[in-house]
Amino acid sequence: MRITDARVIVTCPGRNFVTLKLTTEDGVTGLGDATLNGRELAVASYLNDHLLPLLIGRDARRIEDTWHYFYKGAYWRRGPVTMSAIAAIDTALWDIKAKVAGVPLYQLLGGASRDAVLVYAHANGPDLDGAVRAVASSLDLGYKAIRVQCGIPGLSSTYGVPRGLQPYEPAEKGAPSEHRWSSEAYITFIPKLFERLRAEFGDELHLLHDVHHRLTPIEAARVGKSLEPYRLFWMEDPTPAELQEAFRLIRRHTVTPIAVGEVFNSIFDCQQLVQEQLVDYIRATVVHAGGITHLRKIAALAELYQVRTGCHGATDLSPVCMAASLHFGLSVHNFGIQEHMPHTAETDRVFPHEYTFQDGYMHPGEAPGLGVEIDEELAAEYPYDPAWLPVNRTVDGTVHSW
Ligand code: KDG
Ligand code: MG
């Protein structure tokens, strides 16, 4: 079953997405997400200029072989651009394989390990009252797990909190915006947020929080300790994870569970974190971590150490990635939770899909393959529109992790 056509579709139905569409000689098509927020065209070029010419004519059934052909064959390994491009090919091949078999993808991944996939919502408020209102709205929608971000007194903007009434979307048109950050202000404020949320909503709700890589290890340890009374489901990305051993220091001081890995692109990024049990959830996802094939290996390593999955699922991961993630999450035994940040209506129209949300859980549906397609005519009505992630500086002007 030869691959006869491979096309990269770049579209901006509200935000930019890069999608790979493969077609076989029998006319079966498969989709893969290749979106790398703020660096989209680098992946489109990597696919168009370097991988797709070698993909045409290959046997679509040889998923594992194709993965290694592009990973080892490049000589230059890993990195978000390479791994997103390989992920798109891998995901599209799994889509094709499942369509040919006539089954939803999760059936090829071992079948369902659970009835549905627990997802968490985003609730963002400019201040404590706003955060409480946002959590109440997510509860009304049926979510059982909610990530809460809140404006920090004294800081004009912060990660996760929209400036206006629009849903939060970090990539902005024009030049990158600049945020100002104070770890001191954040560390003082953040326990007050979760104290208030537990007082308002009780013990049952799963509460999550994203530190977004901003603290030093000892600051992160302090925050984890200060949040212990509020029993978070997880504290995410408390410190940048390039230095995996940094998490030893956090672990020595706090039992607040830790989630890490949305920027990871290979099993080597998380190897030490997992093997030393320095984290509880691994957030690597299909699009940025080499596709279904590689993510399954990360999950298998994690399973040995009782680390569970918690795949990234922000809006910059397209509905194609969300579908793939739901098939993965439904099937993998050590699933923990899946992030769910709903796409805009225009994005959902460009990517008609079978997955559903009900009562705090999602299901990928029973359509053969991934259960997501792209309306190419509609996609063409939304040309690429460059957008940038913000840059973060501390209050004295020093560039800091965003
Ligand atoms: O592109 C960057 C976003 O996906 C990221 O900032 C979102 O941290 C994020 C999250 O947890 O969803
Ligand atoms: Mg995050």
Side-chain angles (χ1 to χ4, degrees), residues 22 28-32 60-64 67 86-110 286 290-297 324 327-328 368-371:
L22 300 183
V28 183
T29 60
L31 295 182
R61 293 169 298 190
R62 297 185 62 174
I63 298 178
E64 185 75 20
W67 196 95
I86 294 177
I89 293 174
D90 184 80
T91 309
L93 293 179
W94 277 106
D95 191 16
I96 289 170
K97 195 179 273 298
K99 280 180 179 168
V100 170
V103 295
L105 175 60
Y106 74 84
Q107 293 292 8
L108 295 188
L109 305 179
V286 174
I292 304 262
T293 296
H294 196 64
L295 195 60
R296 289 178 87 199
K297 293 175 187 180
H327 286 281
F328 169 78
L370 287 173

Side-chain angles (χ1 to χ4, degrees), residues 15 36-38 120 122 147 159 168-171 210 212-213 234 236-237 262 283 288 312-317 339 341 389 402:
R15 69 158 351 281
L36 186 61
N37 204 4
Y120 69 89
H122 283 204
R147 184 194 91 155
Y159 167 74
Y168 180 68
E169 174 55 66
D210 192 349
H212 220 256
H213 325 266
W234 79 34
E236 178 180 333
D237 288 331
E262 67 184 38
R283 282 182 50 68
H288 300 134
H312 188 198
T315 39
D316 46 295
L317 285 64
E339 182 175 13
M341 202 180 163
L389 288 173
W402 172 68

Side-chain angles (χ1 to χ4, degrees), residues 227-391:
L227 293 176
E228 280 174 13
Y230 316 115
R231 297 171 310 285
L232 262 58
F233 186 96
W234 79 34
M235 166 174 77
E236 178 180 333
D237 288 331
T239 196
E242 287 105 326
L243 183 68
Q244 297 186 31
E245 68 197 47
F247 285 75
R248 288 184 191 148
L249 198 150
I250 306 175
R251 272 302 214 219
R252 274 205 288 277
H253 294 285
T254 180
V255 293
T256 293
I258 299 173
V260 164
E262 67 184 38
V263 300
F264 289 176
N265 47 70
S266 91
I267 197 165
F268 301 104
D269 296 328
C270 49
Q271 185 180 7
Q272 185 181 6
L273 290 172
V274 169
Q275 288 182 323
E276 289 189 30
Q277 292 169 289
L278 300 177
V279 296
D280 303 280
Y281 296 90
I282 199 80
R283 282 182 50 68
T285 192
V286 174
V287 55
H288 300 134
I292 304 262
T293 296
H294 196 64
L295 195 60
R296 289 178 87 199
K297 293 175 187 180
I298 294 176
L301 173 70
E303 186 179 349
L304 294 181
Y305 297 92
Q306 300 197 32
V307 173
R308 292 189 281 164
T309 66
C311 290
H312 188 198
T315 39
D316 46 295
L317 285 64
S318 89
V320 177
C321 181
M322 178 51 104
S325 212
L326 291 173
H327 286 281
F328 169 78
L330 193 68
S331 60
V332 72
H333 179 68
N334 55 326
F335 168 80
I337 200 164
Q338 166 69 48
E339 182 175 13
H340 181 220
M341 202 180 163
H343 291 106
T344 60
E346 45 190 346
T347 294
D348 283 341
R349 278 195 293 276
V350 169
F351 296 96
H353 52 75
E354 296 291 321
Y355 57 75
T356 50
F357 169 86
Q358 196 185 1
D359 222 12
Y361 290 82
M362 290 181 77
H363 194 282
E366 298 297 339
L370 287 173
V372 58
E373 295 298 335
I374 184 164
D375 180 333
E376 290 187 64
E377 271 179 34
L378 194 55
E381 290 177 22
Y382 300 104
Y384 177 67
D385 192 2
W388 308 85
L389 288 173
V391 172

Side-chain angles (χ1 to χ4, degrees), residues 34-191:
T35 310
L36 186 61
N37 204 4
R39 297 291 185 269
E40 295 86 5
L41 297 186
V43 189
S45 161
Y46 194 97
L47 280 164
N48 276 323
D49 298 328
H50 303 292
L51 304 192
L52 300 189
L54 307 178
L55 190 65
I56 301 297
R58 290 183 67 84
D59 185 343
R61 293 169 298 190
R62 297 185 62 174
I63 298 178
E64 185 75 20
D65 181 69
T66 300
W67 196 95
H68 287 278
Y69 182 80
F70 286 122
Y71 182 79
K72 297 194 167 86
Y75 183 62
W76 311 107
R77 297 188 183 193
R78 304 160 60 186
V81 175
T82 301
M83 296 302 272
S84 301
I86 294 177
I89 293 174
D90 184 80
T91 309
L93 293 179
W94 277 106
D95 191 16
I96 289 170
K97 195 179 273 298
K99 280 180 179 168
V100 170
V103 295
L105 175 60
Y106 74 84
Q107 293 292 8
L108 295 188
L109 305 179
S113 286
R114 54 196 52 79
D115 300 334
V117 170
L118 177 69
V119 295
Y120 69 89
H122 283 204
N124 314 313
D127 51 26
L128 286 178
D129 289 340
V132 167
R133 281 195 299 275
V135 171
S137 311
S138 294
L139 282 171
D140 286 347
L141 294 171
Y143 287 99
K144 316 268 181 267
I146 304 177
R147 184 194 91 155
V148 191
Q149 307 297 129
C150 186
I152 312 295
L155 299 184
S156 57
S157 56
T158 191
Y159 167 74
V161 182
R163 288 174 206 239
L165 293 172
Q166 295 298 319
Y168 180 68
E169 174 55 66
E172 292 171 342
K173 315 285 175 209
S177 67
E178 296 211 350
H179 292 182
R180 291 284 163 149
W181 174 252
S182 160
S183 294
E184 293 75 15
Y186 169 81
I187 291 168
T188 307
F189 173 73
I190 206 69

